Amino acid sequence: MIPPARRIAAVTAVCALGAALAACGTESPAGPTRPAPARSSVSASPSASRPPVLTPGPNGLTPVFEHGPRTLGKTVAFTFDADMTADEGPRAAAGEHFDNPGLIGALRALKVPATVFMTGRWAEQYPDEARSLGADPRFEVANHSYSHYAFTPSCYGLPTIDASKMRADVERAYTAFRKAGLRDALPYFRFPGGCYNDQVLRTLGGLGMTAVQWDVVSGDAFATDADAVAKQVLDGVKPGSVVIMHCTRSAAPTTETVVRTVVPELRKRGYRFVKVSELIGESVGHH
């Protein structure tokens, strides 16, 4: 059983929930390497306006981004993992809710931009919701793999994908996005469970992607105490922070309440909400 959010203080605590977490839905739209811009070879990345990415590390390692500059003003990026795994179709068919229209509606009402890391399997399950998120300029959608299987061994109970299939799994997610009508998924990638190593970074090298982690664990997964989760976010946020949260009613039921609590408080503290792409762009300019 997951301990209360107040005690979830480490990245591993939220990563451990990756195997069970499914993802975020939406309502129809109301409407350390030196970073530098680089072209992406992933097939679904935007073409009209290329987002900023970091240059590869030594020996072609995929670069990893954890937070933006601490000295360029009070910016913070909220990220939400849409991590439905490849074998969770029966759960959805049985009526489990893998969406959270209330959360997405709250972000829209509060005018908070966000970055959603979506699995291809989720896009297949909820093509209308995937397309809605992709069409809303307040959101940006990035890659969270197709299967949500772990890219390293012993990653919090997740099934492990073979190294020979990793690149194909990433590309398959972009294919699922395109089939859902989501055309502008970004060349950013979040590892299932947040688990990676240099070998994996090398395996994904050449795709032109930036791996995106985080520096603030919300502890929202399976939490029942929204106040404790809100406190953890507020205690952790610094200028340039990336906050990891989830948006599924079944596995993260308090997140909408947390967002409605945290957003006005952070604004009182002078924070401006941005997408991950803006933080990466600040990092590119800062270097």
Side-chain angles (χ1 to χ4, degrees):
M1 200 64 186
I2 305 302
R6 192 182 308 276
R7 297 199 300 268
I8 303 177
V11 169
T12 54
V14 76
C15 291
L17 305 167
L21 282 175
C24 73
T26 179
E27 52 196 14
S28 58
T33 60
R34 180 182 175 187
R39 291 183 60 83
S40 172
S41 64
V42 289
S43 55
S45 60
S47 56
S49 175
R50 292 216 170 261
V53 294
L54 307 185
T55 52
N59 301 315
L61 294 183
T62 297
V64 180
F65 179 81
E66 294 182 352
H67 60 79
R70 302 299 194 189
T71 58
L72 296 182
K74 291 184 173 181
T75 53
V76 58
F78 279 3
T79 68
F80 297 89
D81 283 3
D83 51 356
M84 183 175 182
T85 61
D87 57 2
E88 287 180 335
R91 288 169 55 181
E96 183 168 350
H97 293 289
F98 293 110
D99 62 345
N100 193 337
L103 170 62
I104 300 302
L107 291 168
R108 286 179 170 137
L110 292 167
K111 296 180 169 55
V112 175
T115 304
V116 177
F117 289 89
M118 184 184 295
T119 66
R121 181 64 187 87
W122 191 90
E124 289 179 346
Q125 188 75 31
Y126 303 107
D128 293 342
E129 289 87 343
R131 187 166 56 252
S132 172
L133 285 167
D136 190 332
R138 194 168 302 283
F139 300 99
E140 61 186 12
V141 177
N143 195 313
H144 195 28
S145 80
Y146 173 82
S147 63
H148 199 252
Y149 289 171
F151 281 49
T152 65
S154 303
C155 183
Y156 312 108
L158 285 171
T160 304
I161 191 169
D162 187 83
S164 65
K165 299 179 180 178
M166 290 177 183
R167 291 170 69 99
D169 193 70
V170 173
E171 291 284 6
R172 188 179 179 188
Y174 282 118
T175 298
F177 298 161
R178 290 196 304 273
K179 288 181 178 178
L182 199 168
R183 304 290 178 184
D184 294 327
L186 301 186
Y188 303 153
F189 181 72
R190 176 165 283 170
F191 288 99
C195 301
Y196 69 94
N197 54 33
D198 280 358
Q199 181 179 349
V200 171
L201 295 178
R202 190 173 297 109
T203 297
L204 297 184
L207 290 177
M209 304 185 73
T210 294
V212 177
Q213 296 289 95
W214 56 84
D215 68 314
V216 178
V217 177
S218 68
D220 66 336
F222 299 114
T224 57
D225 187 343
D227 289 340
V229 179
K231 181 180 186 303
Q232 185 149 304
V233 173
L234 292 172
D235 287 349
V237 167
K238 302 174 183 177
S241 279
V242 175
V243 183
I244 181 172
M245 289 184 277
H246 303 84
C247 43
T248 170
R249 282 179 284 174
S250 61
T254 67
T255 310
E256 179 188 346
T257 300
V258 170
V259 165
R260 291 186 181 277
T261 300
V262 166
V263 167
E265 178 58 31
L266 286 175
R267 282 180 169 149
K268 285 179 185 177
R269 298 181 185 183
Y271 278 91
R272 178 172 64 91
F273 294 93
V274 300
K275 302 171 188 174
V276 164
S277 58
E278 183 167 333
L279 288 186
I280 293 178
E282 287 181 350
S283 295
V284 169
H286 192 55
H287 289 261

